[in-house]
Amino acid sequence: MKRYFLALVLLACTNTISAQYGKGDYNHIGISLGINQTNLYTDNFNITPAMNWTAGLSMRGNYYNNFSMIYGMNFSENKFAIETFSGISQKEVDLKMMAVQIHLLLCYKIDGGPVSLDFGPVLQVNSKLKFNDSDENNFIVGNELLRVQDIEDINPINFNVYAGISGGFENIRLSLSYQYGVTNILNNLNKQEEVALKVDGKLKGNLGVFAGNIIFYF
């Protein structure tokens, strides 16, 4: 996993530096900071969305008429809670993952103005699910044969689609976006014999992420 992260960071830095050498008045480097609310859409578990942080680097440039493009990289910690039980008590356990995303977005400027609609594909490389050691043996409500520790090894590489709206000024913009995971992020668990036997190989879940960011362009 560390190799994936290092490779992606080097790729982003290389792209950013090379773009700067050819920079015109219409190209801008952006640094973004914000928050996200992450959900896991699944029929296998009871999930509660939770909030966490996101940050990123990007390049925005004019493309054609009212169209522009953004490419860049986001770093985030995503969190949601899963309902579990231990003994006779129930407890929501926080599950977290670190993620790096590479995105390429096409942006349409509404009436040529400062507000644009943004959409495009996202490649995501993420860690395993993390949780407190004290909760690892809790059983999962909705799939009582599984413990929390059984579901940590999710897909390391996933694909999302992005749709959002952004607006503001030349050097500062706000964006609101939603990402939906088109890949089954739990599919890696179906390939593990011990887990697959407990759930008949039918774990399925798709990420849903709302995010709000402030972006500073230079």
Side-chain angles (χ1 to χ4, degrees):
M1 181 58 64
K2 291 181 179 179
R3 292 180 181 177
Y4 282 124
F5 277 78
L6 180 59
L8 291 175
V9 170
L10 290 175
L11 176 63
C13 292
T14 302
N15 286 342
T16 300
I17 291 171
S18 63
Q20 273 295 91
Y21 279 108
K23 180 179 177 181
D25 293 337
Y26 49 82
N27 286 336
H28 299 277
I29 293 176
I31 298 176
S32 61
L33 299 169
I35 58 174
N36 67 69
Q37 182 187 63
T38 302
N39 197 359
L40 178 66
Y41 302 115
T42 177
D43 294 329
N44 300 111
F45 316 126
N46 296 331
I47 300 295
T48 301
M51 305 288 290
N52 223 309
W53 62 267
T54 183
L57 296 170
S58 62
M59 174 68 70
R60 186 184 189 106
N62 289 340
Y63 178 62
Y64 179 76
N65 289 342
N66 288 339
F67 289 93
S68 58
M69 295 191 73
I70 300 174
Y71 69 93
M73 174 181 289
N74 287 335
F75 305 84
S76 66
E77 184 176 65
N78 300 80
K79 180 172 69 173
F80 52 86
I82 188 169
E83 191 175 355
T84 71
F85 68 92
S86 178
I88 60 173
S89 62
Q90 290 195 5
K91 177 184 179 180
E92 283 196 338
V93 173
D94 287 336
L95 301 176
K96 300 179 183 180
M97 68 178 185
M98 298 298 298
V100 175
Q101 296 183 335
I102 295 177
H103 57 266
L104 178 64
L105 307 179
L106 183 64
C107 311
Y108 174 72
K109 301 175 185 178
I110 300 175
D111 292 329
V115 177
S116 66
L117 301 177
D118 313 324
F119 49 92
V122 179
L123 170 65
Q124 175 175 302
V125 180
N126 51 259
S127 68
K128 297 180 180 181
L129 292 177
K130 305 297 182 182
F131 42 82
N132 291 332
D133 291 343
S134 59
D135 297 321
E136 65 180 10
N137 288 314
N138 286 20
F139 290 96
I140 298 175
V141 174
N143 226 306
E144 285 75 9
L145 295 177
L146 292 178
R147 299 175 187 267
V148 171
Q149 63 183 342
D150 292 330
I151 65 169
E152 68 172 334
D153 197 11
I154 57 175
N155 287 12
I157 299 177
N158 293 280
F159 293 91
N160 305 336
V161 290
Y162 178 109
I165 186 169
S166 61
F169 305 98
E170 181 178 0
N171 294 321
I172 184 170
R173 294 174 70 89
L174 297 175
S175 73
L176 294 174
S177 66
Y178 176 74
Q179 291 186 40
Y180 179 77
V182 296
T183 50
N184 175 11
I185 197 171
L186 302 179
N187 194 49
N188 199 46
L189 302 174
N190 293 323
K191 301 175 184 178
Q192 300 172 26
E193 184 176 352
E194 184 177 346
V195 175
L197 287 174
K198 294 178 180 179
V199 297
D200 197 24
K202 294 181 180 179
L203 290 179
K204 186 177 187 302
N206 302 85
L207 282 181
V209 182
F210 287 99
N213 287 278
I214 183 170
I215 309 163
F216 301 94
Y217 284 105
F218 303 92

